[in-house]
Coordinates of all heavy atoms in Angstrom, one line a residue:
N764 N -120.2 1.0 66.1 CA -119.1 2.1 66.1 C -118.3 2.0 67.4 O -118.1 2.9 68.2 CB -119.8 3.5 66.1 CG -118.9 4.6 65.7 OD1 -117.9 4.4 65.1 ND2 -119.1 5.8 66.3
V765 N -117.7 0.8 67.6 CA -116.8 0.5 68.7 C -117.4 0.9 70.0 O -116.8 1.5 70.9 CB -115.5 1.3 68.5 CG1 -114.3 0.6 69.4 CG2 -115.0 1.2 67.1
G766 N -118.7 0.6 70.3 CA -119.3 0.8 71.6 C -120.2 2.0 71.5 O -121.2 2.1 72.3
D767 N -120.0 2.9 70.7 CA -120.9 4.1 70.5 C -122.0 3.8 69.6 O -122.0 2.9 68.8 CB -120.1 5.3 70.1 CG -119.1 5.8 71.1 OD1 -119.4 5.6 72.3 OD2 -118.1 6.3 70.7
K768 N -123.0 4.8 69.6 CA -124.1 4.6 68.6 C -123.8 5.6 67.4 O -123.3 6.6 67.6 CB -125.4 5.0 69.3 CG -125.8 4.1 70.5 CD -127.3 4.3 70.8 CE -127.6 5.6 71.3 NZ -128.9 5.8 71.9
V769 N -124.2 5.1 66.3 CA -124.1 5.9 65.0 C -125.3 6.9 65.0 O -125.0 8.1 64.6 CB -124.1 5.1 63.8 CG1 -124.0 5.9 62.5 CG2 -123.0 4.1 63.8
D770 N -126.4 6.5 65.4 CA -127.6 7.3 65.5 C -128.3 7.0 66.7 O -127.9 6.2 67.5 CB -128.4 7.2 64.2 CG -128.8 5.8 63.8 OD1 -129.2 5.1 64.8 OD2 -128.8 5.4 62.7
L771 N -129.5 7.6 66.8 CA -130.3 7.3 68.0 C -131.6 6.4 67.7 O -132.4 6.2 68.7 CB -130.9 8.6 68.6 CG -129.8 9.8 68.8 CD1 -130.5 11.0 69.5 CD2 -128.7 9.2 69.7
K772 N -131.6 5.8 66.6 CA -132.7 5.0 66.2 C -132.6 3.6 66.8 O -131.5 3.1 67.2 CB -132.7 4.8 64.7 CG -132.8 6.1 63.9 CD -132.8 5.9 62.4 CE -132.9 7.2 61.6 NZ -132.7 7.0 60.2
L773 N -133.7 2.9 67.0 CA -133.8 1.5 67.2 C -133.2 0.7 66.1 O -133.3 1.2 64.9 CB -135.2 1.0 67.6 CG -135.8 1.5 68.9 CD1 -137.3 1.2 68.8 CD2 -135.2 0.8 70.1
P774 N -132.7 -0.5 66.3 CA -132.2 -1.3 65.2 C -133.4 -1.4 64.2 O -134.6 -1.6 64.6 CB -131.8 -2.6 65.8 CG -131.5 -2.3 67.2 CD -132.4 -1.1 67.5
K775 N -133.0 -1.4 62.9 CA -134.1 -1.4 61.9 C -135.1 -2.6 62.0 O -136.3 -2.3 61.7 CB -133.4 -1.4 60.4 CG -134.4 -1.3 59.3 CD -133.7 -1.3 57.9 CE -134.7 -1.0 56.8 NZ -135.8 -2.0 56.8
N776 N -134.6 -3.7 62.3 CA -135.5 -4.9 62.4 C -136.5 -4.7 63.5 O -137.7 -5.2 63.4 CB -134.7 -6.1 62.6 CG -134.0 -6.1 63.9 OD1 -133.1 -5.2 64.1 ND2 -134.2 -7.0 64.8
Q777 N -136.1 -4.1 64.6 CA -137.1 -3.7 65.6 C -138.1 -2.7 65.2 O -139.3 -2.8 65.5 CB -136.4 -3.2 66.9 CG -135.5 -4.3 67.6 CD -135.0 -3.8 68.9 OE1 -135.7 -3.1 69.6 NE2 -133.7 -4.2 69.3
V778 N -137.6 -1.6 64.5 CA -138.6 -0.6 64.0 C -139.6 -1.2 63.0 O -140.8 -1.0 63.1 CB -137.8 0.5 63.3 CG1 -138.7 1.4 62.6 CG2 -136.9 1.3 64.2
D779 N -139.1 -2.1 62.1 CA -140.0 -2.8 61.2 C -141.0 -3.7 61.9 O -142.1 -3.7 61.5 CB -139.1 -3.7 60.2 CG -138.3 -2.8 59.3 OD1 -138.6 -1.6 59.1 OD2 -137.3 -3.4 58.7
Y780 N -140.6 -4.3 63.0 CA -141.5 -5.2 63.7 C -142.6 -4.4 64.4 O -143.8 -4.7 64.4 CB -140.8 -6.0 64.7 CG -141.7 -6.9 65.5 CD1 -142.5 -7.9 64.9 CD2 -141.7 -6.9 66.9 CE1 -143.3 -8.7 65.6 CE2 -142.5 -7.7 67.6 CZ -143.3 -8.7 67.0 OH -144.2 -9.5 67.7
V781 N -142.2 -3.2 65.0 CA -143.2 -2.4 65.7 C -144.2 -1.8 64.6 O -145.3 -1.8 64.9 CB -142.5 -1.2 66.4 CG1 -143.6 -0.2 66.9 CG2 -141.6 -1.7 67.5
K782 N -143.7 -1.5 63.4 CA -144.6 -1.0 62.4 C -145.6 -2.1 62.0 O -146.7 -1.9 61.6 CB -143.7 -0.6 61.2 CG -143.1 0.8 61.4 CD -142.3 1.2 60.2 CE -141.7 2.6 60.5 NZ -140.9 3.0 59.3
Q783 N -145.1 -3.3 61.9 CA -146.0 -4.5 61.6 C -147.1 -4.6 62.7 O -148.3 -5.0 62.4 CB -145.2 -5.8 61.5 CG -144.3 -5.8 60.3 CD -143.5 -7.2 60.2 OE1 -142.8 -7.5 61.2 NE2 -143.7 -8.0 59.2
I784 N -146.7 -4.5 63.9 CA -147.7 -4.5 65.0 C -148.7 -3.4 64.8 O -150.0 -3.6 65.0 CB -147.0 -4.4 66.4 CG1 -146.2 -5.7 66.6 CG2 -148.0 -4.2 67.5 CD1 -145.4 -5.7 68.0
I785 N -148.2 -2.2 64.5 CA -149.1 -1.0 64.3 C -150.2 -1.3 63.2 O -151.3 -1.0 63.4 CB -148.3 0.2 64.0 CG1 -147.4 0.7 65.2 CG2 -149.2 1.3 63.5 CD1 -146.4 1.6 65.0
E786 N -149.7 -2.0 62.2 CA -150.6 -2.3 61.1 C -151.7 -3.3 61.5 O -152.8 -3.4 60.9 CB -149.8 -2.8 59.9 CG -148.9 -1.7 59.2 CD -147.9 -2.3 58.2 OE1 -148.1 -3.6 57.9 OE2 -147.2 -1.6 57.6
N787 N -151.3 -4.3 62.5 CA -152.2 -5.4 62.8 C -153.0 -5.2 64.0 O -153.9 -5.9 64.2 CB -151.3 -6.6 62.9 CG -150.9 -7.1 61.5 OD1 -151.6 -7.9 60.8 ND2 -149.7 -6.8 61.1
K788 N -152.6 -4.4 64.9 CA -153.1 -4.4 66.3 C -154.6 -4.1 66.3 O -155.1 -3.3 65.6 CB -152.3 -3.3 67.1 CG -152.6 -1.9 66.8 CD -151.7 -1.0 67.7 CE -151.9 0.5 67.4 NZ -153.1 1.0 67.9
K789 N -155.2 -4.8 67.3 CA -156.7 -4.4 67.5 C -156.8 -3.5 68.7 O -157.6 -2.5 68.6 CB -157.4 -5.8 67.8 CG -158.8 -5.6 68.2 CD -159.5 -6.9 68.6 CE -159.1 -7.3 70.1 NZ -159.9 -8.4 70.5
G790 N -156.1 -3.7 69.7 CA -156.2 -2.8 70.9 C -155.0 -1.8 70.9 O -154.2 -1.7 70.0
P791 N -154.9 -1.2 72.0 CA -153.8 -0.2 72.1 C -152.4 -0.8 72.1 O -152.3 -2.0 72.5 CB -154.1 0.5 73.4 CG -154.9 -0.4 74.3 CD -155.8 -1.1 73.2
L792 N -151.4 0.0 71.9 CA -150.0 -0.5 71.9 C -149.2 0.2 73.0 O -149.2 1.5 73.0 CB -149.3 -0.1 70.5 CG -147.8 -0.3 70.4 CD1 -147.4 -1.8 70.7 CD2 -147.3 0.0 69.0
V793 N -148.6 -0.5 73.9 CA -147.7 0.0 74.9 C -146.3 -0.4 74.6 O -146.0 -1.5 74.5 CB -148.1 -0.7 76.3 CG1 -147.2 -0.2 77.4 CG2 -149.6 -0.3 76.7
L794 N -145.6 0.6 74.3 CA -144.1 0.4 73.9 C -143.3 0.6 75.1 O -143.3 1.6 75.8 CB -143.7 1.4 72.8 CG -142.4 1.2 72.1 CD1 -142.5 -0.1 71.3 CD2 -142.0 2.4 71.2
V795 N -142.5 -0.4 75.4 CA -141.5 -0.4 76.5 C -140.1 -0.5 76.0 O -139.7 -1.3 75.2 CB -141.8 -1.7 77.4 CG1 -140.8 -1.7 78.6 CG2 -143.2 -1.7 77.9
I796 N -139.4 0.6 76.4 CA -138.0 0.8 75.8 C -136.9 0.6 76.8 O -137.0 1.2 77.9 CB -137.9 2.2 75.3 CG1 -139.0 2.6 74.3 CG2 -136.5 2.3 74.5 CD1 -139.1 4.0 73.9
A797 N -136.0 -0.4 76.5 CA -134.9 -0.7 77.4 C -133.7 -0.1 76.7 O -133.4 -0.5 75.6 CB -134.7 -2.1 77.7
S798 N -132.9 0.9 77.4 CA -131.7 1.3 76.8 C -131.1 2.1 77.9 O -131.7 2.5 79.0 CB -132.0 2.3 75.7 OG -132.7 3.5 76.1
G799 N -129.7 2.4 77.8 CA -129.0 3.2 78.7 C -128.9 4.6 78.1 O -128.0 5.4 78.8
S800 N -129.6 4.9 77.1 CA -129.4 6.2 76.4 C -130.6 6.6 75.7 O -131.5 5.7 75.5 CB -128.2 6.2 75.4 OG -128.5 5.2 74.5
P801 N -130.8 7.8 75.2 CA -131.9 8.3 74.4 C -132.1 7.4 73.2 O -131.1 7.2 72.5 CB -131.6 9.7 74.2 CG -130.7 10.2 75.2 CD -129.9 9.0 75.5
V802 N -133.3 7.0 72.9 CA -133.7 6.4 71.7 C -134.7 7.3 70.9 O -135.7 7.8 71.5 CB -134.3 5.0 72.0 CG1 -135.0 4.4 70.7 CG2 -133.2 4.1 72.5
S803 N -134.4 7.5 69.6 CA -135.4 8.3 68.8 C -136.6 7.4 68.4 O -136.5 6.2 68.0 CB -134.7 8.7 67.6 OG -135.6 9.3 66.7
L804 N -137.8 8.0 68.6 CA -139.0 7.3 68.1 C -139.7 8.0 67.0 O -140.9 7.9 66.8 CB -139.9 7.3 69.4 CG -139.4 6.5 70.6 CD1 -140.4 6.6 71.7 CD2 -139.1 5.0 70.2
E805 N -138.9 8.7 66.1 CA -139.5 9.3 65.0 C -140.2 8.3 64.1 O -139.6 7.2 63.8 CB -138.5 10.1 64.2 CG -138.0 11.4 64.8 CD -137.1 12.2 63.8 OE1 -136.1 11.6 63.4 OE2 -137.4 13.4 63.5
G806 N -141.4 8.5 63.8 CA -142.1 7.6 62.9 C -142.9 6.5 63.7 O -143.7 5.7 63.1
L807 N -142.6 6.4 65.0 CA -143.3 5.4 65.8 C -144.1 6.1 66.9 O -145.2 5.6 67.3 CB -142.3 4.5 66.5 CG -141.5 3.6 65.6 CD1 -140.5 2.8 66.4 CD2 -142.3 2.7 64.7
E808 N -143.7 7.2 67.5 CA -144.3 7.8 68.7 C -145.8 8.0 68.5 O -146.6 7.7 69.4 CB -143.6 9.0 69.1 CG -144.0 9.6 70.4 CD -145.3 10.5 70.3 OE1 -145.6 11.0 69.2 OE2 -145.9 10.7 71.3
E809 N -146.2 8.5 67.4 CA -147.6 8.9 67.3 C -148.6 7.7 67.2 O -149.8 7.9 67.3 CB -147.7 9.8 66.0 CG -147.3 9.1 64.7 CD -145.8 9.4 64.3 OE1 -145.0 9.5 65.3 OE2 -145.5 9.6 63.1
Y810 N -148.0 6.5 66.9 CA -148.8 5.4 66.8 C -148.9 4.5 68.2 O -149.5 3.6 68.3 CB -148.3 4.4 65.7 CG -148.3 5.1 64.4 CD1 -147.1 5.5 63.8 CD2 -149.5 5.4 63.7 CE1 -147.1 6.2 62.6 CE2 -149.5 6.0 62.5 CZ -148.2 6.4 61.9 OH -148.2 7.0 60.7
C811 N -148.1 5.0 69.2 CA -148.1 4.3 70.4 C -149.0 5.0 71.4 O -149.1 6.2 71.5 CB -146.7 4.3 71.0 SG -145.4 3.5 70.0

């Protein structure tokens, strides 16, 4: 959107990858988020 964000979600491919890790992980998951603005973690937060 010409520099702006359409929504606050992570790119879908990243969300899908995190979900794959959640399904496979043996130990705890530490999620590190790099951004200059708020990122929504709906559907991911509870698994981190």
Side-chain angles (χ1 to χ4, degrees):
N764 197 29
V765 198
D767 291 329
K768 298 194 298 185
V769 177
D770 54 43
L771 307 184
K772 299 175 183 177
L773 290 168
K775 185 177 183 302
N776 60 300
Q777 293 189 36
V778 173
D779 291 343
Y780 181 58
V781 174
K782 288 181 177 179
Q783 287 179 306
I784 290 175
I785 291 168
E786 292 172 0
N787 286 276
K788 70 184 179 73
K789 178 182 75 173
L792 170 60
V793 178
L794 192 67
V795 178
I796 306 167
S798 67
S800 62
V802 169
S803 172
L804 296 178
E805 282 190 308
L807 297 180
E808 187 276 338
E809 58 267 37
Y810 302 106
C811 300

